[in-house]
Amino acid sequence: MDAIHDPAPTVGADRIALVMLPGARDRAQDLVEQGFVRALRQRGLAVDAVIVNAHFDHYLEHSVVVQLEQDIIAPLRERGLARIWLMGISLGGMGALSYAREHAGAIEGVILLAPFLGTRGLIAEITHAGGLLHWQPGTIAPEDDERRLLAWLRQYRAGDPALPRICLGYGTEDRYAPASLLLARLLPERQVMTLQGGHDWPTWLKLWERWLDGDAFAASSQA
């Protein structure tokens, strides 16, 4: 799993490593070209950006978490970077949460932009049950990554120091908005952001810029 590395120009004791995951059909370079790294640099944040080429095959082969740990995040820890955040867009949001589920103690937080959390049928099943807290996931097949992830989110409790902070942003006209709404109900209002828009780069960039202008990288213990 290769990546584009863009270290912060300034050195700080409280430095953050931000691992960014694109959507299913997008490349790491797309996040650069669409202005996501530029937005970081314009704000002078002491954040090292690592934009990962996590492509669709990593998800089909159920290898995204293993390769993130092996190729990206373990080397960051070896460099002494203790504050590690993930940011995922669309399917990249599922990748970020999947890593958080298996390595909760390794990261400080996750920023999700219009995350893909499951198929329409699965999201409809959970909505019909009254939300994640009322849903019973039942028996989970070994390769059912979506149901397994949503079962973990069902038990997520914001503010738990053993769990990473989750921040969520999505457009109100986004085709995955029903799934985001299910997750939003588990999070404090300050960790959820919406604006008018669809499942597209302009909406994601506006959400990203607003997070950066707020307290996006507040640690869970500070939230």
Side-chain angles (χ1 to χ4, degrees):
M1 184 179 282
D2 61 336
I4 298 171
H5 293 259
D6 191 288
T10 57
V11 177
D14 206 23
R15 198 177 196 85
I16 291 171
L18 174 67
V19 178
M20 307 169 76
L21 285 77
R25 305 298 179 188
D26 302 318
R27 308 160 301 143
Q29 186 62 30
D30 292 327
L31 273 79
V32 176
E33 293 174 357
Q34 293 292 336
F36 285 78
V37 176
R38 181 170 63 250
L40 275 175
R41 299 297 163 247
Q42 288 173 339
R43 287 155 178 81
L45 298 173
V47 175
D48 291 349
V50 183
I51 312 97
V52 181
N53 264 318
H55 51 73
F56 197 51
D57 286 349
H58 289 121
Y59 295 90
L60 288 177
E61 297 166 1
H62 310 280
S63 66
V64 65
V65 172
V66 171
Q67 292 202 257
L68 273 175
E69 170 63 16
Q70 173 182 294
D71 300 337
I72 307 296
I73 296 177
L76 291 173
R77 288 198 301 269
E78 290 169 4
R79 286 171 45 202
L81 289 162
R83 297 190 64 190
I84 297 175
W85 279 70
L86 303 180
M87 186 274 262
I89 299 175
S90 192
L91 188 61
M94 170 170 275
L97 283 175
S98 297
Y99 183 89
R101 183 183 69 84
E102 295 192 28
H103 299 276
I107 59 172
E108 192 171 284
V110 180
I111 299 173
L112 305 171
L113 301 180
F116 172 81
L117 299 178
T119 61
R120 289 183 180 180
L122 180 54
I123 298 305
E125 174 189 326
I126 298 169
T127 301
H128 182 73
L132 282 163
L133 294 179
H134 300 283
W135 172 61
Q136 298 298 321
T139 303
I140 302 175
E143 294 191 348
D144 193 342
D145 295 336
E146 296 172 12
R147 190 172 292 267
R148 183 173 296 104
L149 176 61
L150 287 160
W152 176 74
L153 284 174
R154 180 177 177 271
Q155 303 173 43
Y156 180 83
R157 297 295 179 267
D160 185 336
L163 296 172
R165 188 184 191 208
I166 295 177
C167 300
L168 170 67
Y170 63 98
T172 52
E173 285 78 47
D174 192 294
R175 62 178 178 270
Y176 298 134
S180 290
L181 182 58
L182 291 174
L183 176 56
R185 290 171 179 163
L186 304 181
L187 303 175
E189 286 186 12
R190 65 182 176 274
Q191 289 169 222
V192 178
M193 182 182 298
T194 62
L195 53 78
Q196 188 173 6
H199 199 72
D200 52 53
W201 287 109
T203 303
W204 303 335
L205 183 59
K206 288 178 185 176
L207 288 163
W208 178 234
E209 290 172 335
R210 291 189 184 183
W211 278 123
L212 296 179
D213 289 333
D215 64 345
F217 298 110
S220 297
S221 60
Q222 300 169 338

